[in-house]
């Protein structure tokens, strides 16, 4: 790919790495590339981070033809910068785009673009403990038209955000409301795709959860409101009587990169991982009879988020005395150990960027 580079005239002041929060600061530059029907992808460039002009009738603004990804660049103790399984994000975006009638952005170009923009803004990869450079590739329709149809033009963009913990609680247990009315996804819908619309439609439930003192919601399936699917914006796993349970990837659940990695590690450690249906009644029963030993969300932004309590209708269960479970902590330490280069990368999951 031939990438044109326009350097920012005056580089920005970098934020205090000890107080980054999540997704609040953006680096000096961004990657952009355009797509036009009949021409394909063209004009790759790295330009100063800034506003992107668009038509008021842009298809994205009216019909939400948009997809995105979330990944991170990590600074190791030796000062190296590494990515974690970037090909998984590239492939997931291709699948998301297919569902939204958007063109594929080829895997090799995706990885090349991510590496190129991270290399340009390499000084922004933080080195404080638990910090990383969050990478947000996204694609959106750019055609101006009010008829509901697939756009004939698109923009692929990558912005970067030096970040700390996703939740203000950090890696500490949170309270979760089990949502029995609103749903996130149904099979045949867009639940498996990473598209903005899924997140917009989840906000009301999140607001409801916050009003009840909960950090997030646990989503049930959209047909029977019976089987557990995801937690907030993450996949979710439960340790019940020594075995792990998580929803299968069968249409309504996002195929998480962290989910896949944790399942690999757990199976390697000898755990039985059941990918399938777990009913909310069985979950609450396990909570009451003491066999629900641990529960946690998995996602790129938060990595692993322990769950300390579930509220469901007028019932509630506390897990492990609202303390982070032993296995949850071990998984967090091991996975982040690989990501930050503290653990041997025996699965070959990391890719170094020469910056
Ligand atoms: C991620 O975990 O990377 C996500 O995309 C979730 C997002 C809401 C920050």
């Amino acid at each position: 790919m031939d990438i044109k580079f326009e350097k920012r005239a005056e580089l920005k002041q970098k934020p205090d790495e000890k107080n980054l929060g999540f997704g609040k600061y953006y680096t000096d530059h961004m990657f952009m590339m355009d797509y036009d029907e009949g021409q394909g992808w063209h004009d790759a460039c790295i330009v100063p981070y800034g506003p992107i002009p668009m038509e008021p009738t842009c298809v994205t603004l009216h019909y939400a033809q948009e997809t995105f990804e979330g990944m991170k660049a990590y600074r190791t103790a030796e000062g190296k910068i590494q990515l974690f399984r970037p090909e998984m994000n590239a492939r997931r975006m291709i699948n998301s785009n297919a569902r939204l009638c958007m063109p594929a952005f080829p895997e090799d170009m995706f990885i090349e673009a991510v590496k190129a923009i991270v290399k340009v803004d390499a000084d922004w990869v933080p080195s404080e403990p638990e910090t990383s450079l969050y990478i947000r590739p996204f694609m959106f329709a750019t055609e101006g038209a009010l008829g509901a149809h697939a756009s004939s033009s698109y923009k692929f963009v990558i912005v970067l955000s030096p970040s700390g913990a996703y939740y203000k609680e950090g890696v500490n247990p949170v309270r979760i409301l089990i949502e029995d009315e609103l749903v996130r996804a149904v099979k045949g819908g867009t639940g498996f795709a990473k598209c903005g619309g899924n997140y917009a439609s989840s906000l009301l439930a999140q607001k409801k959860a916050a009003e009840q003192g909960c950090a997030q919601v646990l989503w049930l399936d959209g047909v029977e409101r019976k089987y557990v699917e995801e937690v907030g914006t993450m996949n979710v796993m439960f340790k019940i009587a020594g075995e792990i349970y998580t929803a299968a990837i069968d249409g309504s659940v996002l195929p998480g990169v962290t989910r896949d990695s944790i399942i690999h590690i757990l199976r390697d450690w000898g755990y039985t991982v059941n990918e399938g249906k777990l009913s909310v009644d069985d979950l609450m029963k396990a909570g009451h009879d003491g066999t629900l030993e641990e529960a946690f969300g998995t996602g790129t932004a938060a990595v692993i988020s322990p769950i300390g309590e579930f509220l469901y209708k007028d019932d509630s269960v506390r897990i492990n005395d609202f303390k982070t479970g032993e296995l949850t902590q071990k998984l967090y330490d091991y996975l982040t150990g690989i990501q930050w280069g503290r653990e041997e990368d025996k699965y070959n999951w990391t890719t170094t960027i020469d910056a």
Side-chain angles (χ1 to χ4, degrees):
M1 226 182 344
D2 176 29
I3 307 175
K4 285 214 181 67
F5 180 38
E6 183 197 330
K7 193 170 177 198
R8 186 177 206 96
E10 203 175 317
L11 298 184
K12 298 190 209 175
Q13 175 118 27
K14 296 199 178 51
D16 172 11
E17 284 191 12
K18 289 194 166 63
N19 287 302
L20 289 173
F22 178 83
K24 293 198 296 196
Y25 304 98
Y26 314 108
T27 65
D28 287 309
H29 299 93
M30 59 185 180
F31 175 92
M32 292 209 291
M33 194 162 186
D34 290 316
Y35 177 93
D36 282 280
E37 227 166 66
Q39 193 181 358
W41 290 105
H42 61 92
D43 287 309
C45 61
I46 290 178
V47 294
Y49 176 94
I52 303 174
M54 59 168 75
E55 290 288 327
T57 52
C58 172
V59 169
T60 303
L61 297 179
H62 301 266
Y63 307 121
Q65 226 194 342
E66 185 270 355
T67 59
F68 71 97
E69 272 303 319
M71 52 205 291
K72 287 174 174 173
Y74 305 85
R75 173 88 62 193
T76 69
E78 301 78 47
K80 277 192 315 183
I81 297 172
Q82 52 189 32
L83 299 175
F84 183 74
R85 310 184 77 185
E87 67 288 347
M88 297 276 287
N89 298 91
R91 289 177 205 154
R92 185 170 63 187
M93 190 172 218
I94 291 172
N95 292 336
S96 301
N97 289 357
R99 178 64 182 83
L100 286 251
C101 274
M102 296 165 69
F105 194 79
E107 183 180 326
D108 55 340
M109 279 166 52
F110 180 100
I111 294 173
E112 192 183 337
V114 168
K115 285 185 173 169
I117 184 66
V118 173
K119 195 168 167 169
V120 164
D121 281 344
D123 285 354
W124 286 81
V125 182
S127 45
E128 276 294 312
E130 310 299 309
T131 63
S132 58
L133 185 70
Y134 186 75
I135 305 171
R136 171 55 62 88
F138 60 104
M139 191 189 296
F140 62 96
T142 52
E143 186 186 334
L146 289 179
H149 63 265
S151 174
S152 57
S153 57
Y154 297 86
K155 216 178 247 309
F156 173 75
V157 187
I158 306 174
V159 295
L160 308 171
S161 175
S163 293
Y166 185 70
Y167 290 116
K168 62 176 181 346
E169 292 89 345
V171 188
N172 282 308
V174 289
R175 259 174 121 200
I176 299 289
L177 177 69
I178 303 183
E179 175 57 59
D180 61 346
E181 182 197 358
L182 304 169
V183 299
R184 176 188 169 274
V186 289
K187 284 183 207 2
T190 57
F192 70 90
K194 207 159 172 65
C195 57
N198 288 346
Y199 294 76
S201 66
S202 76
L203 298 176
L204 184 58
Q206 198 178 312
K207 189 166 161 238
K208 231 172 110 180
E211 282 161 8
Q212 294 190 46
C214 293
Q216 275 297 348
V217 294
L218 179 74
W219 297 106
L220 300 179
D221 75 277
V223 177
E224 296 181 73
R225 316 271 199 286
K226 185 170 170 191
Y227 301 104
V228 296
E229 293 211 328
E230 292 194 18
V231 65
T233 59
M234 290 179 283
N235 297 114
V236 63
M237 298 195 188
F238 308 92
K239 180 166 173 257
I240 302 176
E243 294 191 9
I244 312 299
Y245 293 80
T246 192
I249 301 297
D250 64 356
S252 51
V253 170
L254 188 82
V257 178
T258 310
R259 173 191 182 279
D260 184 81
S261 309
I262 291 292
I263 291 175
H264 253 82
I265 294 168
L266 283 168
R267 288 193 172 135
D268 228 13
W269 287 354
Y271 283 92
T272 299
V273 180
N274 304 284
E275 293 179 75
K277 286 183 155 84
L278 172 68
S279 76
V280 60
D281 292 341
D282 285 347
L283 175 68
M284 294 303 284
K285 187 166 160 285
H288 285 300
D289 69 19
T291 51
L292 174 57
E293 293 153 355
E294 301 186 30
F296 54 90
T298 65
T300 297
V303 193
I304 286 183
S305 180
I307 297 170
E309 186 172 16
F310 284 119
L311 265 55
Y312 181 52
K313 300 186 195 276
D314 48 13
D315 194 9
S316 70
V317 288
R318 270 169 91 86
I319 306 158
N320 195 34
D321 235 357
F322 215 89
K323 292 201 284 287
T324 301
E326 204 179 306
L327 180 63
T328 308
Q329 187 68 52
K330 202 171 145 201
L331 284 165
Y332 178 84
D333 292 342
Y334 185 63
L335 182 63
T336 56
I338 294 175
Q339 292 169 330
W340 272 286
R342 294 187 295 259
E343 291 280 351
E344 183 206 343
D345 178 16
K346 67 184 247 199
Y347 305 104
N348 246 323
W349 279 338
T350 58
T351 306
T352 306
I353 295 184
D354 333 292

